[in-house]
Every structure is written in C-alpha cells, then in structure tokens.
Amino acid sequence: MSGASGGRAAVIAGIGCHLPPDVVTNEELTRRLDTSDEWIRSRTGIATRHMVAPGVATSDLAVEAGRRALESAGGGADAVVLATTTPDRPCPATAPDVAHRLGLGGVAAFDVSAVCSGFLYGLAAAAGFIASGTAERVLLIAADAFSTIIDPQDRGTAVIFADGAGAVVLRAGDASEPGAVGRVVLGSDGGLNRLIQVPAGGSRQRSSGVAPEPGEEFFRMAGREVYRHAVERMTTSSRQAAEAAGWDTPAAADRFAAHQANARILATVADDLGIAHERRLSNIERVGNTGAASLAVLLAQAAAEGTLTAGHRLLLTAFGGGLTWGATALVWPDVKAL
C-alpha cells in the first residue's frame, strides 16, 4: 500500500488535463533552428509538443484542467494549489484568479514554485492541508506555458519545453485507501541554482540597477550538468519513496511515472531502478517537457488510455530547477480521467 494504515490522509478523487490545441512538430522547428527531426528525436525523444496561441496564459490552461478534475471528482474544493513557473504576472499569485474563474468563491489559493518538481511539492502541500484539517478537498493544478519564457532561437531548450496543465482533486480520507498520499520525499540544492534559471526579472537583477543583457529574460539550462543531477536525484528519491511505502524495491512498482524531461534521462533512471519497460509510463514523444504539468498530464492521459488502472502500485518522481526533486509511491484509485 502507500504508507501507514489508518488515520486521516489526502486521497486522489479526480484527475484531468488540458493541452493547448496548437501542435508544433519537429519539422516546423527546423525551419528556424539549426537542427533536424532526427537530431531532436535521438536526443530528447520528442516528436511533437503543444504551445499556447498568442494571448493565452498559464491561468487559461489551469482553469480548463481544474474544471476537468473537479468534474472527474464530482464536486468542488475548499483550497486551490497551483504549481507553476510561468505565472500570469509576478504579482499577485495566479491561483486566486484560477479559483475565482472556477467559481470556487473565497477559498484559500496560492502558487507553488518548484519548476518541474512543482506537482510533487504541491501534492505534499495539499496533502498537508487535508491532514491538518485546514481543508477537506483541495484542487491541485500544475500548469506551465513554458513557450512564453523560452528563447525561440535556443536549440537546447526550444525543442524540449512545451505547454500544458494537469490537475487532481484530493479529498479527506483514510491512509489505508487506494489513492491515499503517503510520504512525499522532497529535496533541494540551492547551491546549483545556476543550472536552471531565468537570470532577469527578479529582485536580484532589478535591484542591481543594471539593465539585463539581451536574452537574460529567457529560460536557461545547463543541459549536460542537469542530466547527471536529474538521474542521481530521481533515482535516489525513488528508492526512498519505495522504502517509505513499505516496498521491498522500486521494481515492485506496477507503473513508474517520471517527470517527462528527456527520453534518455527517463530510460537511465528506470533502468537504474530495475523498472521493466512495460511498466514505464511516458508521453514525452507527443507532448514534450511541460514543466510542472508534466506528471499530472502523464497520469491523466495514462488513466484515460487505460495504461494506469485502479490497484496499480505507482511510483512518481520529478526533478527541476532550484535544484529541486521529489518522489512518492501510492496505489492508484478508481477514478475517471477527463
């Protein structure tokens, strides 16, 4: 099962996702980048990705994914947590606007910023709200419009990152139930924040009195160094999560869902954990790296397609800027994904 038996816990009650309708193929990217379809596929595993149209913001994606998760769960929520790296604006948080547009009234609502680990950080926060009695039902949304902060001429990031949103509804329940969220293993290393960053736009750059250099408003990533840390941290945290769930080994997972960062990273982590190929969930070929939304979109699509079903022991892990990482293990409940 997913942790200690008995006691109040957060239980997954609904799930949904939304991808913007505009699909960008590798061939389209080759028209403006020095690259090829073969180069992109061999290094990232990506063939297509979804991107927002002009004027569409992260909140628009979040509202649609949230609406579907609420419909899946058959009810509302008394708190909203939004994991995102691309808020509509620096201030205020985007979550209150999303809650308002979903008709949830004056519920508690706030953003979580942990880049691609955002869904797991948000899951821990939402579960804590429920475990403490602060909330009975929490809508957790992970949404990013990464295309809005990517340099369109940067081959290292423009071919990887994309847009999307996924959401789950958590309800108060018992820790022994399928879908109960147990321990979420989380970690960070701020000493390596340079590896994944947007240099300009924050108080550090603004207070310097120095105008940003051209391109510093865009997302930057040191790909080779990130690869090594991503593999190490996702592998280690996955082992810790499996142990916390009482599993003999991570290979006991019926399904393994890792943040869809890069096909090579995913394969290396799964191989290191001993996860059989048929137990690995992946959608990176179709949707690319959707940031914080990655895990939530993957779970919603897998549940809708029938590759993730009730009773499956599920191992989740992610890695992102900060640096941040996390993992958790649970038993998938009987929910209908929208």
Side-chain angles (χ1 to χ4, degrees):
M1 295 298 288
S2 58
S5 60
R8 182 180 171 98
V11 178
I12 295 173
I15 187 168
C17 71
H18 172 67
L19 297 170
D22 291 350
V23 177
V24 178
T25 65
N26 289 346
E27 287 78 7
E28 290 176 78
L29 293 178
T30 63
R31 297 170 192 166
R32 59 179 170 82
L33 293 170
D34 180 20
T35 188
S36 66
D37 174 64
E38 189 278 332
W39 188 93
I40 298 171
R41 287 177 184 264
S42 65
R43 285 162 176 77
T44 70
I46 301 169
T48 61
R49 72 282 293 151
H50 295 252
M51 294 186 178
V52 295
V56 176
T58 294
S59 64
D60 301 317
L61 304 179
V63 166
E64 184 59 27
R67 182 190 66 76
R68 294 179 183 185
L70 289 169
E71 183 180 345
S72 168
D78 51 357
V80 174
V81 179
L82 173 63
T84 186
T85 305
T86 58
D88 285 10
R89 53 186 68 85
C91 176
T94 303
D97 177 50
V98 171
H100 169 73
R101 290 165 61 183
L102 287 170
L104 296 176
V107 302
F110 63 96
D111 291 359
V112 170
S113 179
V115 196
C116 298
S117 303
F119 178 73
L120 289 177
Y121 268 75
L123 187 65
F129 263 45
I130 289 174
S132 67
T134 301
E136 293 297 314
R137 293 170 67 91
V138 179
L139 172 61
L140 167 61
I141 308 172
D144 268 317
F146 248 96
S147 65
T148 63
I149 61 171
I150 293 297
D151 182 349
Q153 301 305 316
D154 179 10
R155 184 178 67 169
T157 57
V159 303
I160 297 172
F161 290 92
D163 309 331
V168 295
V169 173
L170 301 168
R171 61 165 176 82
D174 189 86
S176 63
E177 290 185 64
V181 178
R183 180 188 174 196
V184 184
V185 176
L186 300 173
S188 73
D189 185 352
L192 294 173
N193 57 35
R194 63 177 176 81
L195 297 184
I196 300 174
Q197 63 170 321
V198 177
S203 62
R204 176 70 63 193
Q205 177 267 311
R206 290 174 182 267
S207 69
S208 70
V210 178
E213 294 292 326
E216 287 191 334
E217 73 275 20
F218 292 124
F219 178 90
R220 292 181 176 178
M221 180 175 68
R224 290 185 179 180
E225 291 181 85
V226 167
Y227 183 103
R228 177 171 61 86
H229 287 286
V231 169
E232 177 185 348
R233 299 302 189 178
M234 286 200 287
T235 301
T236 300
S237 60
S238 292
R239 290 195 174 107
Q240 293 170 338
E243 182 180 0
W247 299 357
D248 292 335
T249 170
D254 298 306
R255 294 293 181 267
F256 177 59
H259 162 59
Q260 303 290 286
N262 173 300
R264 289 179 171 180
I265 292 176
L266 302 178
T268 302
V269 172
D271 287 346
D272 288 350
L273 293 173
I275 307 290
H277 284 271
E278 64 272 15
R279 299 187 177 195
R280 306 173 187 181
L281 299 177
S282 182
N283 63 358
I284 192 169
E285 182 179 10
R286 294 174 288 159
V287 305
N289 182 338
T290 55
S294 175
L295 276 180
V297 171
L298 176 61
L299 295 180
Q301 289 188 336
E305 294 164 359
T307 53
L308 175 64
T309 60
H312 274 151
R313 290 167 297 182
L314 175 67
L315 180 60
L316 300 165
T317 188
F319 176 88
L323 299 175
T324 60
W325 57 85
T328 193
L330 55 86
V331 175
W332 191 249
D334 185 11
V335 294
K336 180 181 179 181
L338 299 178

